[in-house]
């Protein structure tokens, strides 16, 4: 088989996101290798398990798991599911785990995460961004709760190829997820897609922490719902100022989708309650700085960041 037909896939950061997509790809017959830290013993003994309202109970009993990157084979695709706060520390690990001309896919929220990591990666590597539309969290070591959705969209960021070739690589990546039964597509404009994802992430992540509420509670109370809309419109204005106009129907569409979701606590709420660093740089500071540089103020987004900074401190 050629690499395109059967690549070797590595997962760095086997939490909720990395574990979910890695298990789904392994079930589809791909050669998937998982790099773990604290959960290595549990996953080595008991495998990975997903309790999914969409796919049912899934179990990968034998996981190709490693707690040392030196023992892990070099991979053609690397899915990075760790938080953006650890990217600088992960760069040497990514470089070591990557095969020549490997594709590095960041399955991460936020803005400018690729720009932060690119200077730390070997020049021959291709860097892509992946936007995950999924309600998922980890309930125990090696156990993932999947509440809804599961799609992932890919955009090419950088590497030694033309824009057309980069888009073709993103299409190859989308095909992997499609073979695993997941909605996936390649995107021509990665930055535009990241702004679009921020329209949801900025209000719901921060407000879930500040108000200690899930999505159903935030949507069900008129004042918080109005604030969500205000925050969404500020992000849309910031995106437009940076040259990425978003659809007029986006806010209404996101509200409709969120109304239909089960009560969900976003990842930032789990990070805060478990005393892990919140992704404030990627989700808030970076887009605020970009919008400000383009002459667009986002005062309510800035105030939300200020409250999160206070709670973080």
């Amino acid at each position: 088989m050629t690499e395109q037909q059967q690549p070797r896939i590595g997962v760095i950061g086997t939490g909720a996101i990395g574990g979910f997509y890695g298990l789904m790809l392994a079930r589809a017959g791909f050669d998937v290798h998982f790099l773990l830290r604290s959960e290595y013993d549990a996953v080595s003994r008991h495998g990975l398990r997903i309790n999914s309202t969409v796919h049912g109970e899934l179990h990968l009993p034998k996981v190709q798991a490693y707690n040392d990157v030196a023992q892990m084979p070099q991979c053609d695709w690397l899915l990075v599911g760790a938080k953006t706060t650890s990217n600088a520390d992960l760069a040497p690990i990514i470089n070591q785990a990557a095969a020549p001309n490997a594709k590095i896919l960041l399955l991460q929220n936020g803005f400018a995460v690729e720009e932060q990591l690119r200077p730390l990666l070997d020049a021959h590597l291709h860097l892509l961004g992946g936007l995950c539309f999924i309600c998922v969290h980890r309930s125990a070591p090696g156990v993932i709760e999947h509440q809804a959705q599961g799609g992932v969209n890919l955009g090419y960021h950088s590497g030694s190829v033309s824009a057309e070739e980069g888009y073709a690589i993103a299409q190859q990546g989308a095909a992997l997820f499609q073979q695993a039964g997941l909605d996936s597509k390649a995107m021509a404009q990665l930055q535009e897609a990241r702004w679009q994802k921020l329209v949801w992430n900025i209000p719901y992540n921060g407000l879930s922490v500040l108000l200690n509420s899930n999505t159903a509670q935030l949507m069900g109370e008129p004042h918080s719902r109005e604030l969500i809309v205000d925050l969404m419109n500020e992000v849309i204005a910031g995106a437009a100022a940076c040259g990425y106009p978003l659809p007029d129907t986006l806010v209404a569409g996101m509200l409709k989708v969120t109304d239909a979701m089960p009560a969900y606590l976003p990842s930032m709420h789990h990070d805060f309650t478990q005393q892990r660093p919140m992704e404030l740089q990627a989700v808030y500071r970076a887009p605020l700085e970009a919008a400000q540089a383009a002459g667009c103020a986002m005062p309510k987004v800035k105030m939300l960041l200020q409250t999160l900074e206070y709670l973080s401190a």
Side-chain angles (χ1 to χ4, degrees), residues 161-219:
V161 296
S162 67
E164 183 178 353
E165 291 170 316
Y167 183 70
I169 289 174
Q171 289 179 309
Q172 292 173 19
L176 302 179
F177 293 103
Q178 291 165 5
Q179 290 178 60
L182 300 168
D183 291 333
S184 186
K185 64 181 180 182
M187 303 171 297
Q189 286 284 352
L190 176 58
Q191 294 295 62
E192 179 180 340
R194 284 212 170 273
W195 273 111
Q196 185 166 326
K197 185 81 184 293
L198 285 168
V199 175
W200 195 95
N201 275 328
I202 280 179
Y204 291 104
N205 271 284
L207 292 178
S208 73
V209 174
L210 183 62
L211 303 179
N212 191 26
S213 300
N214 60 42
T215 52
Q217 292 168 319
L218 293 171
M219 295 296 284

Side-chain angles (χ1 to χ4, degrees), residues 15-261:
I17 291 292
F20 175 84
Y21 289 109
L23 186 150
M24 295 298 289
L25 289 164
R27 287 183 72 250
F30 290 103
D31 181 22
V32 184
H33 300 258
F34 298 82
L35 185 66
L36 303 105
R37 290 187 295 185
S38 59
E39 300 191 10
Y40 171 77
D41 289 339
V43 171
S44 296
R45 292 172 184 163
H46 307 296
L48 280 170
R49 188 178 300 275
I50 297 176
N51 301 316
S52 173
T53 60
V54 179
H55 306 287
E57 293 189 6
L58 307 177
H59 184 214
L60 186 64
K62 294 184 179 181
V63 177
Q64 298 184 106
Y66 312 84
N67 61 0
D68 183 353
V69 68
Q71 299 172 357
M72 184 175 175
Q74 290 189 321
C75 297
D76 305 303
W77 282 83
L78 284 175
L79 314 185
V80 181
K83 297 291 184 179
T84 57
T85 51
S86 62
N87 277 357
D89 294 332
L90 286 177
I93 295 173
I94 294 171
N95 288 330
Q96 188 170 353
N101 300 308
K103 289 81 176 175
I104 314 304
L105 176 61
L106 301 185
L107 299 177
Q108 298 177 328
N109 286 327
F111 186 77
V113 292
E114 292 84 12
E115 286 81 355
Q116 177 199 32
L117 186 61
R118 177 75 259 184
L120 306 177
L121 296 181
D122 291 341
H124 65 87
L125 299 177
H126 301 278
L127 183 59
L128 298 91
L131 304 178
C132 305
F133 300 89
I134 187 169
C135 299
V136 67
H137 68 277
R138 184 176 50 197
S139 59
V143 181
I144 299 161
E145 308 298 327
H146 175 219
Q147 294 175 264
Q149 303 184 61
V152 54
N153 295 338
L154 284 69
Y156 190 84
H157 179 267
S158 57
S160 57
V161 296
S162 67
E164 183 178 353
E165 291 170 316
Y167 183 70
I169 289 174
Q171 289 179 309
Q172 292 173 19
L176 302 179
F177 293 103
Q178 291 165 5
Q179 290 178 60
L182 300 168
D183 291 333
S184 186
K185 64 181 180 182
M187 303 171 297
Q189 286 284 352
L190 176 58
Q191 294 295 62
E192 179 180 340
R194 284 212 170 273
W195 273 111
Q196 185 166 326
K197 185 81 184 293
L198 285 168
V199 175
W200 195 95
N201 275 328
I202 280 179
Y204 291 104
N205 271 284
L207 292 178
S208 73
V209 174
L210 183 62
L211 303 179
N212 191 26
S213 300
N214 60 42
T215 52
Q217 292 168 319
L218 293 171
M219 295 296 284
E221 204 285 321
H223 297 92
S224 55
R225 191 182 183 101
E226 182 180 3
L227 180 54
I228 287 167
V229 172
D230 290 345
L231 290 164
M232 285 183 169
N233 283 324
E234 282 194 1
V235 179
I236 289 172
C242 293
Y244 301 104
L246 300 176
D248 295 336
T249 57
L250 185 58
V251 170
M254 286 193 171
L255 294 177
K256 182 179 180 180
V257 168
T258 310
D259 276 328
M261 283 169 42

Side-chain angles (χ1 to χ4, degrees), residues 6 13 22 38 54 151 297 300 303 313:
Q6 182 66 0
S38 59
V54 179
K300 291 189 176 181
M303 183 177 292

